[in-house]
Amino acid sequence: MEMEQEKVTMSKELSPDAASYCCSACHGDETWTYSHPVRGRAKSRSLSASPALGSTKEFRRTRSLHGPCPVTTFGPKACVLQNPQTIMHIQDPASQRLTWNKSPKSVLVIKKMRDASLLQPFKELCVYLMEENSMIVYVEKKVLEDPALAGDDKFGPVKKKFCTFREDYDDISNQIDFIICLGGDGTLLYASSLFQGSVPPVMAFHLGSLGFLTPFNFENFQSQVTQVIEGNAAIVLRSRLKVRVVKELRGQKATTANGLSENGLPGPGLDTEVGKQAMQYQVLNEVVIDRGPSSYLSNVDVYLNEHLITTVQGDGVIVSTPTGSTAYAAAAGASMIHPNVPAIMLTPICPHSLSFRPIVVPAGVELKITLSPEARNTAWVSLDGRKRQEIRHGDSITITTSCYPLPSICVRDPVSDWFESLAQCLHWNVRKKQTHFEEEEEEEEDREDS
């Protein structure tokens, strides 16, 4: 590859000390140059970042505007099938297809809770996966505690074969080969929250109310699941946001369960500043900062790459992915962005300004949101509608594009599926068609013109 050759050439040009510096965006977000973090992405390089010979100790990479190179291995066994016609390392979205390093053996089935209509599809799917494909099926423990399932004697033998887990207590991220969702868009968001690193491929069946992110119909699920197991499927890589919430410790200890933090990661770590606590999350749709129960305007400062760009005075602000642009952001007046576009959208919620319009920024930037010094009240943040928490003076929220996208399996291809969802779910540009002129009317107009 040309980029690989460029990397080798650059290593030869640098001094022995400088040659050891490399970006590891695909394997971690920072590499260290003595005591300075170097941010960027693998296999690409900004020309403006070239260090002067003899001054490598001061070398610092510039931030890529195109975001981190996404990790294209999903769970233990899945990855993107490499396209020999790839230019650089960005594939044509329509050519991204799923392949397996090894045959998948374990599947996580996520079912919408408190919906009796999904019990029968859930049973049929699990029986098919276990008996026809000899797969290990994982389900959340509370799913099996449903009285309708607990009292079903015929389903008893199948239920004993399940592997169960509890959210925030058990880490199953390295045990799942792919995921099947039964329900609405919320099941896909829940699946994303369970995997704070690499996400296995997700196959989502439309059994909910909206279904914008769930393209599959359940009627012929056997053939569709078989195609996915055989690796015959297109995928769309839905970018996620890496969100870091840093809060001042105010005499309260973070509650943990079984050594795991609120989002299922090992216990929260302390920030570099004494007396602060940092929590990190992976977000698929959006980060919402709002005024909460207060009657005052929300007043928060927004920084882009450490530069103050604006102060939001209104009900709040939405920071969304392209996937999230069709959710809360669309309701707040933002444009809708195809999930393959590398971008982050910033949308105000009822701003007290006639000129504050939604904006789209490159995926590689880092946004930081804090309470303004003049703020009369605190703010509240929620992540994909969950993990809601209060933000006070001294706290901060840092947001950038994650290198761990969610690989969503398509019915046809990423472009066709997206426009199909726009038409079927959101009724995009639905209007009664204008009628054409009758021939007699056209002739009369021609006479008048002559």
Side-chain angles (χ1 to χ4, degrees):
M1 294 290 292
E2 294 179 1
M3 299 307 297
E4 292 286 356
Q5 294 172 358
E6 179 188 2
K7 185 175 180 181
V8 173
T9 305
M10 290 187 295
S11 298
K12 290 180 180 179
E13 294 175 351
L14 299 179
S15 65
D17 290 336
S20 63
Y21 302 122
C22 63
C23 172
S24 57
C26 287
H27 305 286
D29 292 299
E30 295 179 350
T31 52
W32 297 89
T33 306
Y34 298 95
S35 61
H36 302 289
V38 180
R39 304 183 75 92
R41 74 185 201 186
K43 300 184 181 179
S44 63
R45 193 171 189 279
S46 172
L47 296 178
S48 62
S50 301
L53 295 178
S55 62
T56 56
K57 291 184 179 181
E58 301 300 322
F59 170 54
R60 180 180 175 88
R61 282 285 298 274
T62 58
R63 182 183 300 279
S64 167
L65 291 181
H66 298 287
C69 175
V71 174
T72 53
T73 56
F74 315 119
K77 298 176 183 175
C79 64
V80 168
L81 180 64
Q82 295 302 314
N83 182 357
Q85 297 180 348
T86 298
I87 300 175
M88 296 180 70
H89 66 273
I90 303 174
Q91 289 192 2
D92 174 12
S95 72
Q96 292 177 161
R97 301 197 66 81
L98 175 70
T99 188
W100 302 98
N101 296 325
K102 296 180 181 178
S103 298
K105 295 297 181 184
S106 59
V107 57
L108 169 63
V109 178
I110 296 177
K111 183 184 79 71
K112 182 180 178 183
M113 300 297 294
R114 298 181 296 277
D115 191 339
S117 65
L118 297 184
L119 291 178
Q120 189 59 34
F122 174 74
K123 294 177 185 178
E124 293 177 10
L125 175 64
C126 292
V127 170
Y128 175 76
L129 292 170
M130 289 181 176
E131 297 184 357
E132 300 294 331
N133 293 279
S134 302
M135 301 197 74
I136 301 170
V137 178
Y138 285 78
V139 295
E140 194 172 2
K141 189 174 182 180
K142 62 184 179 182
V143 171
L144 300 182
E145 294 172 353
D146 189 314
L149 286 176
D152 190 343
D153 296 334
K154 294 181 179 179
F155 194 63
V158 176
K159 191 169 61 174
K160 293 178 180 178
K161 298 178 183 179
F162 284 126
C163 293
T164 60
F165 71 97
R166 294 174 297 170
E167 184 188 9
D168 293 341
Y169 283 84
D170 302 315
D171 183 11
I172 59 171
S173 57
N174 292 324
Q175 303 173 38
I176 304 300
D177 294 334
F178 79 104
I179 305 168
I180 297 179
C181 295
L182 302 177
D185 295 344
T187 57
L188 196 70
L189 297 176
Y190 178 66
S192 171
S193 70
L194 294 176
F195 296 85
Q196 295 298 307
S198 176
V199 187
V202 181
M203 183 180 191
F205 286 94
H206 174 32
L207 293 167
S209 54
L210 183 62
F212 192 90
L213 305 178
T214 54
F216 287 91
N217 292 319
F218 194 76
E219 286 74 15
N220 54 342
F221 76 92
Q222 294 94 337
S223 60
Q224 294 174 329
V225 170
T226 299
Q227 285 185 351
V228 171
I229 294 175
E230 294 174 351
N232 182 20
I235 59 173
V236 56
L237 301 185
R238 298 186 178 275
S239 64
R240 298 196 292 174
L241 298 175
K242 183 178 72 173
V243 183
R244 182 178 171 86
V245 180
V246 179
K247 306 182 76 172
E248 286 188 349
L249 294 175
R250 300 176 176 87
Q252 297 180 356
K253 294 183 178 180
T255 57
T256 60
N258 196 23
L260 298 179
S261 65
E262 184 181 10
N263 63 344
L265 289 174
L270 292 178
D271 199 47
T272 52
E273 300 179 46
V274 177
K276 292 199 173 185
Q277 185 181 45
M279 299 290 289
Q280 187 167 297
Y281 307 87
Q282 298 284 331
V283 174
L284 179 60
N285 257 3
E286 74 268 306
V287 180
V288 178
I289 298 95
D290 59 60
R291 61 190 176 95
S294 172
S295 59
Y296 293 112
L297 287 175
S298 131
N299 197 339
V300 295
D301 292 335
V302 180
Y303 296 82
L304 189 148
N305 290 348
E306 301 180 359
H307 297 285
L308 178 65
I309 57 170
T310 192
T311 297
V312 179
Q313 297 183 94
D315 281 353
V317 63
I318 305 166
V319 181
S320 60
T321 63
T323 295
S325 70
T326 54
Y328 193 179
S335 296
M336 295 180 288
I337 307 174
H338 188 275
N340 277 116
V341 177
I344 297 175
M345 174 168 278
L346 191 71
T347 307
I349 307 172
C350 297
H352 200 250
S353 167
L354 298 179
S355 60
F356 197 167
R357 307 303 303 158
I359 61 171
V360 177
V361 297
V365 304
E366 183 178 85
L367 296 170
K368 184 177 180 180
I369 299 176
T370 62
L371 271 182
S372 298
E374 301 83 10
R376 297 182 178 181
N377 57 297
T378 61
W380 288 77
V381 60
S382 59
L383 312 153
D384 280 344
R386 309 180 77 210
K387 312 295 184 186
R388 188 165 173 82
Q389 50 196 291
E390 191 173 15
I391 300 298
R392 301 172 179 269
H393 287 286
D395 301 343
S396 65
I397 305 164
T398 304
I399 305 168
T400 190
T401 301
S402 170
C403 62
Y404 295 107
L406 183 141
S408 179
I409 299 173
C410 305
V411 173
R412 287 184 290 175
D413 61 77
V415 175
S416 300
D417 283 12
W418 191 69
F419 279 100
E420 181 73 14
S421 293
L422 285 181
Q424 296 297 323
C425 301
L426 299 183
H427 303 293
W428 177 62
N429 196 26
V430 174
R431 181 190 183 276
K432 184 178 180 180
K433 287 188 179 276
Q434 187 180 48
T435 58
H436 67 280
F437 286 126
E438 298 293 338
E439 292 183 3
E440 295 180 357
E441 294 179 356
E442 292 179 356
E443 291 177 359
E444 290 178 2
E445 288 183 356
D446 291 341
R447 293 194 197 101
E448 291 176 357
D449 293 339
S450 61

